[in-house]
């Protein structure tokens, strides 16, 4: 039924099927990729029906599609239907199984769908494959987790409402209200768990584990620090916790959430256990390290400890476990604690060098900013992107365009290289996105504008408020090669992040982890690219629907996927 490729990638083996199937494991999600085996699909091919069966389950559930074929009079069907009736007209799809944490095999069945001249559907030979998803990336060693970042989505509207009144019942209007705001939405618990996804769950569980281990000492370095679920847990740690909180810009203003958090933790832990810091610019870390007899774990990444960090922004977090793995975090925390905002002093410590995390079978390293002249990272990363990328590059980078230079130039160069598949999102200006599309072109969009006035059959979505929405900072190089690698952390790939701010930066050379970050990049890219299509349809006063088989000289929905060089590479790369 399937062929495993290192467990995290599996392929269908039905020789009778007209297409190939490949499943890629993500974090609470997976990428489903298909490709036609020979020649071109027939004109009556209208997409793929996708179904899955949970571990131990006795039935298949069909994935749903919000787009449908038009009915009589070319009217839009407003109903969300099974993909066996409204097939997916793409050669890849990211799916979130509703119970992704179940142990055992998930079975996916993908079926080609055809339509005759009377609009009647028929079905071809399917492909099937089994894959294990499980919660932890590498159990007991390393786990990657993401926030959902989908407050502006049809899924959010369906579950929790799309009007501003619904948002006001879930989220504080201002960051400074974070520690006093009380949600009144009837589905608050479910909504926060859904929005925070695995990243929130992992962070809160680590704090719960630290509370349960009376020998555990905890160090936290926080940029944004105003999420009550975290603060409540930190209070329970008493004097076993020390916290470093950023005091730059708005964070030091009277009434800020960070000032409130300092006062609260100052009482529970003791004021000597709370320190304010901004290093050479910002103390921009989002770091937790727990060192006890039972619990030895550390977290880094881009997820701020705030309402927006957990529930609005697209973010990631990485947790490592074991005495060797957490030592660089323990040392980095102590070097921050002893430092009085001198970037040059910190840059001379061993924490500013690259440290091996000592994980079994995983090539993972970490370094902490600010770096000194002898251990800067930005140029090394730019050189890797420019000189060593051979197949593909994916990125989600907040703030890339704030620092013109070699890395930005490397991405521009890569985008024009037809041999390399490149796509991603970075900021073009505050509140806007710059898309590097697989066709090598860029497009600037405003996420807030994409949420409003979308055409049938879609509903308007909440904007999620002002400020950065896509907050990731990662680059994935050659995920499909043995050399697949990821750069990630709180590090913004800028001169300020390199030599001024307090930051964490992971360098991980591992295909399972590279695949997980690739899928995250694809799902965020597809999410916002589809909103661009919605906006274009709205402007042109068109309706969004599935394409029927073409008549005469019309094109089939799939023709560009076989004619455009970039789309050909897209189709072939994943499947």
């Amino acid at each position: 039924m399937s062929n495993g490729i290192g467990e995290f990638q599996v392929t269908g083996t039905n020789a009778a099927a007209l297409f190939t199937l490949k499943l890629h494991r993500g974090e609470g999600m997976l990428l489903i990729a298909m490709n036609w085996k020979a020649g071109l699909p027939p004109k009556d091919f209208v997409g793929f029906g996708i179904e899955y069966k949970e571990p131990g389950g006795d039935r298949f559930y069909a994935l749903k599609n919000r787009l449908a074929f038009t009915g009589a009079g070319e009217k839009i069907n407003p109903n969300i239907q099974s993909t066996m009736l409204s097939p997916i007209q793409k050669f890849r799809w990211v799916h979130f199984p509703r119970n992704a944490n179940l142990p055992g095999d998930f079975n996916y069945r993908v079926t080609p769908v055809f339509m005759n001249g009377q609009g009647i559907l028929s079905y071809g030979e399917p492909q099937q494959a089994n894959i294990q998803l499980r919660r932890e990336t590498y159990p007991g060693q390393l786990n990657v987790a993401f926030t959902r970042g989908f407050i502006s989505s049809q899924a959010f509207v369906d579950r929790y409402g799309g009007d501003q009144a619904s948002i006001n019942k879930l989220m504080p209007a201002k960051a400074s209200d974070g520690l006093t705001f009380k949600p009144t939405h009837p589905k608050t618990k479910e909504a926060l768990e859904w929005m925070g996804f695995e990243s929130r769950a992992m962070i809160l569980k680590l704090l719960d584990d630290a509370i349960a281990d009376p020998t555990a000492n905890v160090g936290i370095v926080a940029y944004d620090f105003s999420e009550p679920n975290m603060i409540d847990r930190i209070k329970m740690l008493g004097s076993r916790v020390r916290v470093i909180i950023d005091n730059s810009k708005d964070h030091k203003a009277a009434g800020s959430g960070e000032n409130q958090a300092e006062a609260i933790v100052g009482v529970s832990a003791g004021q000597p256990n709370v320190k304010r810091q901004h290093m050479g610019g910002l103390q921009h870390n989002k770091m937790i390290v727990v060192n006890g007899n039972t619990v030895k774990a550390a977290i880094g990444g881009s997820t701020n400890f705030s309402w927006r960090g957990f529930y609005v922004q697209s973010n990631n977090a990485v947790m490592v476990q074991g005495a060797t793995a957490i030592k660089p975090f323990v040392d980095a925390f102590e070097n921050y604690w002893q430092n009085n905002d001198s970037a040059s002093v910190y840059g001379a410590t061993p924490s500013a060098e690259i440290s091996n995390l000592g994980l079994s079978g995983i090539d993972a390293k970490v370094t902490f900013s600010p770096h000194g002249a002898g251990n800067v990272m930005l140029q090394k990363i730019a050189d890797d992107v420019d000189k060593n990328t051979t197949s593909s590059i994916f990125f989600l980078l907040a703030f890339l365009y704030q620092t013109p230079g070699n890395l930005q130039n490397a991405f521009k160069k890569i985008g024009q290289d037809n041999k390399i598949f490149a796509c991603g999102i970075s900021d073009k200006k505050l509140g806007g996105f710059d898309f590097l599309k697989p066709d090598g072109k860029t497009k600037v969009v405003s996420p807030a504008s994409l949420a409003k006035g979308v055409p049938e059959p879609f509903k308007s979505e909440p904007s999620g408020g002002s400020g950065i929405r896509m907050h990731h900072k990662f680059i994935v190089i050659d995920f499909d090669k043995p050399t697949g690698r990821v750069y990630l952390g709180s590090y913004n790939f800028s001169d300020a992040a390199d030599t001024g701010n307090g930051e964490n930066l992971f360098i991980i050379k591992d295909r399972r982890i590279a695949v997980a970050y690739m899928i995250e990049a694809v799902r965020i890219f597809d999410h916002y690219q589809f909103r661009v299509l919605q906006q274009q349809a709205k402007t042109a006063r068109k309706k969004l629907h599935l394409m029927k088989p073409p008549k005469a000289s019309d094109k089939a929905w799939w023709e560009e996927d076989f004619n455009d060089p970039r789309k050909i590479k897209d189709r072939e790369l994943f499947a």
Side-chain angles (χ1 to χ4, degrees):
M1 183 179 296
S2 65
N3 175 48
I5 305 173
E7 300 180 22
F8 57 92
Q9 293 174 308
V10 296
T11 58
T13 57
N14 185 358
L18 298 173
F19 65 100
T20 63
L21 171 67
K22 191 170 186 178
L23 307 180
H24 306 259
R25 176 200 174 277
E27 302 298 332
M29 65 188 103
L30 78 160
L31 175 65
I32 306 163
M34 294 74 67
N35 192 14
W36 214 252
K37 283 183 177 178
L40 301 176
K43 293 286 188 179
D44 62 347
F45 170 56
V46 290
F48 295 100
I50 305 176
E51 304 166 284
Y52 79 106
K53 183 165 59 177
E54 294 179 340
D58 61 358
R59 69 192 65 186
F60 280 91
Y61 295 94
L63 274 62
K64 302 295 180 67
N65 192 356
R66 293 176 185 275
L67 294 180
F69 297 108
T70 53
E74 296 300 299
K75 289 185 177 180
I76 290 289
N77 183 345
N79 299 314
I80 302 172
Q81 297 192 104
S82 158
T83 54
M84 300 303 289
L85 299 174
S86 294
I88 299 294
Q89 291 188 336
K90 287 173 67 81
F91 285 91
R92 55 175 164 80
W93 194 257
V94 175
H95 180 227
F96 287 79
R98 57 186 172 183
N99 297 309
N101 293 326
L102 288 174
D105 288 343
F106 284 80
N107 178 217
Y108 279 80
R109 182 169 67 194
V110 181
T111 305
V113 183
F114 305 90
M115 177 184 282
N116 66 15
Q118 289 72 48
I120 299 172
L121 299 178
S122 61
Y123 304 91
E125 189 74 19
Q127 286 277 19
Q128 292 190 58
N130 292 334
I131 192 166
Q132 292 191 13
L133 298 179
R134 72 189 181 207
R135 178 180 288 276
E136 289 189 80
T137 315
Y138 282 102
Q141 289 203 88
L142 183 149
N143 191 32
V144 174
F146 299 104
T147 62
R148 201 174 292 267
F150 273 8
I151 196 170
S152 290
S153 72
Q154 296 295 299
F156 181 89
V157 172
D158 287 347
R159 286 171 170 82
Y160 312 115
D163 60 317
Q164 191 57 45
S166 296
I167 299 299
N168 291 344
K169 293 176 182 178
L170 269 178
M171 305 278 297
K174 300 182 296 183
S176 58
D177 295 336
L179 294 176
T180 56
F181 175 78
K182 302 296 182 185
T184 58
H185 194 287
K187 294 184 178 180
T188 292
K189 183 178 184 296
E190 175 191 327
L192 297 185
E193 289 176 353
W194 187 85
M195 291 188 289
F197 199 41
E198 288 193 337
S199 187
R200 173 189 186 263
M202 185 175 73
I203 290 168
L204 296 184
K205 184 179 185 303
L206 178 57
L207 292 175
D208 288 338
D209 291 345
I211 292 166
D213 180 357
T215 68
N217 292 309
V218 180
I220 297 174
V221 188
Y223 180 64
D224 291 344
F225 197 48
S226 56
E227 205 282 336
N229 287 287
M230 278 199 70
I231 300 299
D232 287 345
R233 285 164 168 80
I234 291 166
K235 286 162 60 178
M236 296 174 67
L237 287 164
S239 61
R240 292 193 285 128
V241 65
R242 287 181 293 163
V243 182
I244 299 171
I245 309 171
D246 177 74
N247 65 348
S248 66
K249 301 179 181 177
D250 293 344
H251 290 166
K252 65 182 178 183
S256 71
E258 288 65 37
N259 286 352
Q260 295 175 52
E262 177 187 11
I264 293 169
V265 179
V267 172
S268 61
Q271 195 58 49
N273 284 335
V274 183
K275 179 171 285 195
R276 301 301 293 270
Q277 190 175 82
H278 57 264
M279 299 307 296
L282 315 173
Q283 181 42 281
H284 193 246
N285 260 292
K286 307 93 172 56
M287 184 178 91
I288 304 172
V289 57
V290 179
N291 192 5
N293 293 343
T294 302
V295 183
K296 292 183 181 295
I299 285 177
S302 71
T303 306
N304 276 315
F305 308 142
S306 64
W307 287 88
R308 289 190 66 80
F310 278 172
Y311 308 122
V312 177
Q313 295 170 340
S314 300
N315 274 313
N316 68 90
V318 174
M319 182 171 74
V320 296
Q321 295 174 263
T324 302
I326 72 167
K327 188 176 187 304
F329 293 84
V330 172
D331 293 344
F333 182 87
E334 293 301 334
N335 285 323
Y336 285 131
W337 189 262
Q338 300 300 326
N339 193 281
N340 293 316
D341 289 326
S342 172
S344 60
V345 170
Y346 191 89
T349 68
S351 294
E353 303 290 342
I354 298 174
S355 298
N356 195 317
L357 293 173
L359 300 170
S360 177
I362 310 168
D363 185 348
K365 300 178 176 67
V366 71
T367 179
F368 298 87
S369 299
H371 296 115
N375 48 36
V376 291
M377 289 298 302
L378 192 59
Q379 185 60 55
K380 294 177 183 177
I381 297 168
D383 287 344
D384 194 16
V385 170
D386 183 25
K387 300 175 182 178
N388 301 323
T389 304
T390 63
S391 171
S392 63
I393 190 161
F394 298 81
F395 60 89
L396 295 178
L397 294 173
F399 306 112
L400 174 65
Y401 276 88
Q402 289 191 9
T403 308
N406 291 339
L407 183 61
Q408 189 184 127
N409 293 337
F411 278 117
K412 291 178 180 178
K413 179 180 175 183
I414 288 272
Q416 302 305 315
D417 188 339
N418 288 330
K419 296 179 182 178
I420 295 172
F421 184 88
C423 77
I425 304 175
S426 61
D427 69 292
K428 187 69 175 179
K429 56 184 179 180
L430 189 63
F433 291 152
D434 183 277
F435 282 76
L436 176 60
K437 300 190 292 183
D439 61 5
K441 298 177 181 178
T442 59
K443 181 176 181 62
V444 181
V445 300
S446 166
S449 70
L450 299 182
K452 299 177 181 178
V454 293
E456 290 186 84
F458 297 89
K459 305 170 186 174
S460 293
E461 302 165 355
S463 67
S466 60
I468 290 295
R469 295 286 308 284
M470 202 293 296
H471 194 250
H472 281 303
K473 306 99 169 38
F474 69 77
I475 303 169
V476 185
I477 302 174
D478 293 346
F479 83 92
D480 55 321
K481 304 291 184 183
T483 54
R485 55 207 181 274
V486 188
Y487 295 94
L488 64 106
S490 67
Y491 182 95
N492 271 317
F493 297 89
S494 66
D495 290 329
D498 208 18
T499 60
N501 299 343
E503 308 277 9
N504 63 80
L505 172 66
F506 292 81
I507 306 101
I508 303 178
K509 300 177 181 179
D510 180 272
R511 279 197 66 199
R512 179 190 295 270
I513 295 167
V515 166
Y517 274 90
M518 173 276 291
I519 295 171
E520 174 70 359
V522 166
R523 71 111 176 174
I524 296 295
F525 181 87
D526 285 354
H527 176 76
Y528 284 109
Q529 188 181 42
F530 186 71
R531 270 134 191 82
V532 173
L533 295 177
Q534 288 179 319
Q535 194 74 3
Q536 290 172 343
K538 173 192 171 187
T539 301
R541 297 184 179 180
K542 292 182 178 179
K543 298 175 181 179
L544 291 171
H545 55 80
L546 295 179
M547 293 177 64
K548 296 177 181 178
K551 297 178 181 179
S553 61
D554 291 344
K555 291 184 178 180
W557 71 267
W558 46 260
E559 287 196 28
E560 281 193 357
D561 295 286
F562 289 82
N563 295 330
D564 184 286
R566 294 273 182 169
K567 291 195 173 185
I568 291 171
K569 191 166 184 64
D570 185 323
R571 177 171 49 81
E572 294 176 344
L573 180 66
F574 301 105

